[in-house]
């Protein structure tokens, strides 16, 4: 890296991000996400934790082979088996990074590792040196860095660099630090570690106190030149620093933070959407990518905006790829126009089958709804993409609701190619609908979340339903949209269930190892 103000973006959406409850992504979703990240200009993509599960290993292997610009990375503990697995999974890429880590705080060394600081020091020597046998791009992280004794951190960082690490990452693993303290940590490393100029300093901040982005930016201002982050800020517990917020803060306040990134910001909104479809919805008021991030409700704001956009807008929606809501198409629009609209909305990798299904749904929707917005079309395509991969699909649903009688649902499902019918009553229409699914495909999952949002305004708006379910400690999320909330509910439940079935079959043999990893 020659430009001293260039900040590298290291994305860990598919590793740390996937560790958040309900955020597990399918193999296909990870491939789709990687392609967008690659196009968007992310420098390094941490594609997974190869030893953790066969699914992670396969994903890192596949992603390593498709990236054109980004460098793939894999995570490993200080274990030769972990490092070997990383190398095996990454070796299909022309360049790759092995990211190895160990805890250095007194608390973690004693209670988690049961190792002395001398033993941890020796382990760094052994494992960073070992990783260097496979690549000269080795990153070393001192887990729980912000609760580590500063002199000890300086010693370990110096050693890791001496053993060949080219990136030194300082994680705020439990989201405990504040900007002034983090500035001090990075500054001390810069001033006290004699060989620090031989490595890029990196920051990795968690959001437990809502300070992940502020701490990351403080780290950059103190001299860090790599930021580890995730799209939509997903990650362990309260998440990681949000990539879109870091990038747009640097771009918008370049007067105070004169740094550059390689990110094509116009793709941020699309990346956010693809990640939220695979994981869970983004809160409406989320900075940069929330539905309301560029909406102006108050009359006084709208008036100012009409006179001069700068009055209440510090960046344009277009700069992050948000197009103004537009009335797009009606029931007379043809397949060709529909396909063009999809490209316009950023759907480039969509299969013909998905287009066909989405177009059919669009025609039905255009018949029902006066105005079809871009958001409606996006919801239809997202829905069709999920259904394209489903093992169990909804064929038909009738729900009888209202006062006076028990609510009842009649359902037909395609279960692995076999058409099955049933009718059930329940405590409300949603309960009756979900009971039908349970009857036709007996299973035992816990419903953790059921949430309904309107895609656009008006009583004829499509409803987007999100469902999160749990089985043996594993969670999956499903989303679906329809003008009929019950149909959306059934499809969202089925999407989560289909993901659970795939997950079950993929990781069963190494489940114990996997659970152990994810609990780090
Ligand atoms: O938060 C953390 O400490 C991590 C490390 C593995 C880098 O995710
Ligand atoms: Zn982390």
């Amino acid at each position: 890296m020659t430009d001293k103000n260039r900040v590298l973006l290291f994305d860990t959406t598919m590793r740390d991000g996937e560790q958040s409850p309900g955020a597990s992504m399918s193999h296909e979703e990870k491939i789709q996400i990687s392609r967008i990240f690659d196009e968007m200009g992310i420098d390094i993509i941490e594609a997974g934790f190869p030893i953790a599960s066969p699914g992670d290993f396969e994903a890192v292997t596949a992603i390593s082979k498709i990236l054109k610009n980004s460098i793939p990375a894999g995570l490993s503990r200080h274990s030769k088996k972990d490092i070997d697995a990383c190398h095996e999974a990454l070796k299909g890429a022309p360049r790759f990074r092995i990211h190895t880590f160990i805890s250095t705080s007194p608390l973690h060394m004693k209670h988690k590792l049961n190792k002395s600081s001398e033993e941890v020091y020796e382990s760094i020597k052994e494992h960073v040196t070992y990783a260097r046998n496979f690549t000269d791009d080795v990153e070393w992280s001192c887990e729980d860095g912000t609760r580590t004794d500063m002199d000890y951190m300086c010693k370990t960082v110096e050693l890791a660099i001496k053993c060949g690490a080219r990136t030194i990452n300082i994680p705020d693993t439990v989201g405990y630090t504040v900007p002034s303290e983090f500035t001090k940590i990075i500054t001390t490393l810069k001033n006290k570690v004699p060989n620090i100029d031989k490595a890029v300093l990196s920051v990795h901040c968690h959001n437990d106190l809502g300070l992940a982005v502020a701490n990351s930016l403080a780290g950059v201002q103190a001299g860090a030149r790599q930021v580890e982050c995730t799209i939509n800020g997903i990650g362990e517990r309260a998440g990681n620093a949000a990539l879109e917020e870091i990038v747009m803060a640097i771009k918008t306040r370049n007067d105070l933070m004169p740094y550059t990134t390689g990110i094509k910001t116009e793709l941020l909104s699309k990346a956010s959407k693809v990640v939220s479809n695979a994981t869970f919805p983004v809160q409406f008021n989320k900075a940069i990518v929330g539905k309301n991030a560029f909406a102006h409700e108050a009359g006084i704001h709208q008036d100012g905006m009409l006179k001069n956009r700068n009055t209440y807008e510090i960046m344009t929606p277009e700069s992050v790829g948000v197009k103004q809501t537009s009335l797009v198409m009606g029931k007379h629009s043809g397949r060709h126009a529909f396909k063009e609209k999809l490209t316009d909305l950023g759907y480039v990798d969509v299969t013909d089958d998905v287009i066909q299904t989405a177009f059919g749904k669009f025609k039905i929707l255009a018949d029902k709804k006066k105005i079809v917005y871009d958001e409606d079309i996006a919801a239809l395509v997202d829905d069709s993409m999920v259904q394209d991969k489903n093992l169990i699909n909804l064929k038909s649903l009738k729900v009888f609701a209202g006062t006076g009688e028990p609510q009842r649902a009649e359902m037909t499902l395609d279960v692995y190619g076999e058409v099955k019918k049933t009718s059930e009553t329940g405590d409300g229409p949603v309960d009756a609908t979900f009971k039908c699914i349970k009857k036709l495909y007996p299973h035992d999952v816990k419903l953790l979340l059921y949430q309904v949002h309107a895609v656009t305004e008006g009583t004829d708006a499509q409803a987007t339903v999100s469902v999160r379910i749990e089985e043996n400690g594993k969670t999956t999320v499903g989303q679906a949209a329809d003008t009929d909330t019950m149909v959306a509910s059934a499809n969202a439940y089925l999407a989560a269930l289909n993901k659970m079935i795939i997950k079950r079959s993929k990781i069963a043999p190494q489940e114990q190892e996997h659970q152990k990893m994810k609990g780090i």
Side-chain angles (χ1 to χ4, degrees):
M1 196 171 61
T2 46
D3 179 357
K4 66 180 182 25
N5 285 337
R6 170 76 152 82
V7 175
L8 297 169
L9 268 299
F10 175 113
D11 180 276
T12 183
T13 303
M14 289 180 284
R15 198 279 297 168
D16 211 323
E18 208 194 25
Q19 287 175 216
S20 41
S24 62
M25 300 159 220
S26 70
H27 187 84
E28 294 72 23
E29 284 163 344
K30 286 185 181 175
I31 298 289
Q32 195 194 8
I33 290 169
S34 306
R35 288 194 206 279
I36 291 170
F37 284 5
D38 195 28
E39 184 190 352
M40 189 163 74
I42 287 174
D43 300 285
I44 303 107
I45 298 175
E46 189 164 55
F49 194 169
I51 194 101
S53 73
D56 263 39
F57 185 88
E58 282 166 27
V60 177
T61 306
I63 292 165
S64 299
K65 290 181 186 153
I66 60 162
L67 296 181
K68 295 194 175 86
N69 310 303
S70 313
I71 296 173
L75 185 69
S76 66
R77 293 167 299 185
H78 273 200
S79 136
K80 289 187 177 164
K81 256 172 83 181
D82 279 36
I83 296 170
D84 288 342
C86 256
H87 170 236
E88 272 306 305
L90 291 163
K91 68 182 184 195
R95 287 174 64 193
F96 59 85
R97 175 176 298 187
I98 294 178
H99 176 195
T100 187
F101 74 99
I102 192 163
S103 293
T104 51
S105 68
L107 201 70
H108 275 218
M109 288 192 290
K110 180 164 179 217
H111 297 287
K112 186 181 123 171
L113 300 176
N114 195 20
K115 281 189 193 312
S116 67
S117 55
E118 290 76 24
E119 284 171 314
V120 167
Y121 190 80
E122 284 309 310
S123 175
I124 297 168
K125 202 183 290 175
E126 184 181 351
H127 295 98
V128 173
T129 308
Y130 185 71
R132 274 301 302 260
N133 290 327
F134 303 109
T135 173
D136 57 10
D137 193 350
V138 172
E139 170 171 332
W140 179 73
S141 287
C142 46
E143 195 188 6
D144 206 18
T146 52
R147 293 192 297 174
T148 295
D149 171 78
M150 206 55 229
D151 286 338
Y152 183 62
M153 197 200 287
C154 288
K155 258 179 70 181
T156 55
V157 166
E158 183 182 353
L159 174 69
I161 298 173
K162 211 159 114 198
C163 295
R166 290 289 163 265
T167 303
I168 297 293
N169 182 42
I170 312 301
D172 182 25
T173 304
V174 290
Y176 180 67
T177 200
V178 299
S180 55
E181 182 184 63
F182 205 43
T183 300
K184 220 161 135 193
I185 292 173
I186 301 298
T187 310
T188 308
L189 290 170
K190 282 263 177 225
N191 292 337
K192 290 215 171 139
V193 176
N195 54 0
I196 198 74
D197 58 315
K198 305 273 186 307
V200 173
L201 255 177
S202 167
V203 290
H204 174 115
C205 298
H206 279 269
N207 205 30
D208 299 65
L209 294 173
L211 292 169
V213 170
N215 288 332
S216 303
L217 292 173
V220 170
Q221 288 179 294
R225 286 297 174 269
Q226 176 177 286
V227 178
E228 300 199 355
C229 42
T230 58
I231 288 287
N232 298 339
I234 65 170
E236 279 279 9
R237 306 178 310 277
N240 290 67
L243 182 143
E244 63 278 8
E245 295 177 23
I246 303 273
V247 169
M248 291 313 288
I250 290 177
K251 186 169 172 167
T252 308
R253 294 312 309 271
N254 215 250
D255 53 330
L256 295 178
M257 296 180 284
Y259 313 110
T260 56
T261 71
I263 300 294
K264 291 178 192 145
T265 61
E266 300 75 22
L267 290 176
L268 285 171
S269 170
K270 182 175 162 191
S272 162
K273 204 153 189 331
V274 173
V275 170
S276 73
N277 283 343
T279 57
F280 37 75
V282 167
Q283 80 208 44
F284 281 15
N285 64 333
K286 164 84 180 60
I288 317 296
V289 292
K291 190 175 155 68
N292 291 353
F294 294 94
H296 300 276
E297 186 75 20
I300 189 167
H301 286 204
Q302 287 173 349
D303 184 51
M305 286 283 292
L306 288 173
K307 290 175 178 144
N308 182 335
R309 296 194 74 87
N310 292 335
T311 48
Y312 287 102
E313 203 169 76
I314 58 166
M315 57 200 149
T316 64
E318 292 77 18
S319 67
V320 299
V322 172
K323 299 214 175 88
Q324 297 304 327
T325 300
S326 58
L327 169 63
V328 278
M329 304 206 297
K331 59 180 171 185
H332 301 299
S333 308
R335 193 181 313 266
H336 184 68
F338 185 74
K339 258 177 127 170
E340 274 193 5
K341 187 72 203 169
L342 296 193
T343 315
D344 223 37
L345 291 172
Y347 290 95
V348 280
D349 282 337
V350 187
T351 63
D352 285 345
D353 281 355
V354 169
I355 295 176
Q356 183 65 24
T357 315
F359 183 67
K361 287 183 180 176
F362 159 72
K363 281 290 188 185
I364 296 168
L365 183 67
D367 253 345
K368 281 196 224 167
K369 204 169 175 284
K370 278 194 257 87
I371 302 171
V372 180
Y373 294 100
D374 285 358
E375 291 93 325
D376 287 316
I377 295 195
L380 288 180
V381 184
D382 295 341
D383 224 28
S384 308
M385 290 211 266
V386 174
Q387 277 180 21
D388 195 39
K389 295 176 227 135
N390 279 355
L391 304 161
I392 306 174
N393 272 308
L394 182 69
K395 302 285 287 178
S396 70
L397 175 68
K398 269 204 170 58
V399 180
F400 305 88
T403 54
E405 328 176 22
Q407 287 74 29
R408 188 164 60 84
E410 286 174 13
M411 181 180 282
T412 311
L413 282 188
D414 179 327
V415 183
Y416 292 74
E418 191 186 336
V419 175
K420 296 182 168 187
K421 282 184 186 176
T422 193
S423 166
E424 290 288 318
T425 54
D427 276 339
V430 179
D431 189 46
T433 302
F434 288 3
K435 273 188 177 157
C436 285
I437 299 177
K438 270 209 169 142
K439 180 83 176 290
L440 295 175
Y441 179 78
H443 61 281
D444 192 18
V445 301
K446 195 165 150 203
L447 181 67
L448 297 182
L449 173 99
Y450 170 77
Q451 210 171 51
V452 186
H453 293 304
V455 175
T456 55
E457 284 86 38
T459 49
D460 61 353
Q462 288 194 89
T464 293
V465 176
S466 306
V467 163
R468 188 194 301 166
I469 56 173
E470 191 220 281
E471 183 186 70
N472 299 328
K474 292 191 293 273
T475 55
T476 54
V477 176
Q479 286 176 47
D482 201 283
T483 46
D484 187 315
T485 310
M486 288 309 113
V487 174
S489 302
N491 277 327
Y493 189 97
L494 287 170
L497 188 61
N498 277 296
K499 280 192 191 174
M500 188 62 85
I501 295 166
I502 292 168
K503 203 168 177 182
R504 240 189 239 156
S505 64
K506 266 195 176 164
I507 67 172
Q510 291 191 17
E511 184 55 27
Q512 274 188 338
E513 179 74 356
H514 183 62
Q515 291 301 327
K516 218 166 72 192
M517 295 294 116
K518 298 284 176 187
I520 287 168

